[in-house]
Amino acid sequence: MAIEKVRAFFRTKGLEDRIREFDVSSATVELAAQAVGCEPARIGKTLSFLHEDGALLIVCAGDAKIDNSKFKGQFHHKATMLTPDQVLEFTGDIIGGVCPFAIEHSNVITYLDISLQRFTTVFPAAGSANSAVELSLSELEQCAGSAGWIDVCKGWQET
């Protein structure tokens, strides 16, 4: 199970006790927010895209959506999401539990979107469709092995 891989990864960081497993699904932003007990925007959703001969993972706020023109400006190609089989191949996770932790595939790059920066802590999945882990932004950046902060989302800006 991917959650066991993620649990072992967090154990090495001294953060294993932060992983929450639920008796209900947390496979969507709305379900995860209900399970955690937070607003949907604080769910750190991990979106996965094709990139050259590998994959890009972009962790963004639960209320954010990919802005295709920003994505193309950042990565110089169209945003093409991975198929469920590709998600499993590149991340070891199934859709609904995709997370940026303990990725073993060498051709996966993870970025964090600035839509997360309005929160002190966020809740990304922990490798299963019924889990989450609460992390500060600096913990998320370190644990995700982030290549940096980017601005490729829309729909989240406060008015």
Side-chain angles (χ1 to χ4, degrees), residues 44-48 57 87 91 93-100 124-128:
K45 65 181 175 183
T46 303
L47 303 174
S48 49
L57 300 182
V87 168
T91 69
D93 301 326
I94 59 168
I95 292 176
V98 178
C99 67
S128 72

Side-chain angles (χ1 to χ4, degrees), residues 11-12 24 36 42-43 72 91 99 121 138 141 143 149 155:
R11 189 175 304 121
T12 68
V24 297
V36 168
R42 284 188 59 209
I43 299 301
K72 189 169 187 175
T91 69
C99 67
T121 63
S138 61
E141 190 171 13
C143 292
W149 289 92

Side-chain angles (χ1 to χ4, degrees), residues 34 37 45 55 92 112 126 148 156:
Q34 289 173 10
K45 65 181 175 183
L112 306 178
W156 63 271

Side-chain angles (χ1 to χ4, degrees), residues 11-30:
R11 189 175 304 121
T12 68
K13 308 268 185 213
L15 300 171
E16 178 185 12
D17 63 330
R18 302 260 194 96
I19 295 175
R20 298 184 191 181
E21 286 188 83
F22 311 110
D23 293 330
V24 297
S25 175
S26 59
T28 67
V29 168
E30 292 76 20

Side-chain angles (χ1 to χ4, degrees), residues 122-138:
V122 294
F123 296 89
S128 72
N130 67 326
S131 66
V133 58
E134 184 174 14
L135 298 171
S136 70
L137 297 183
S138 61

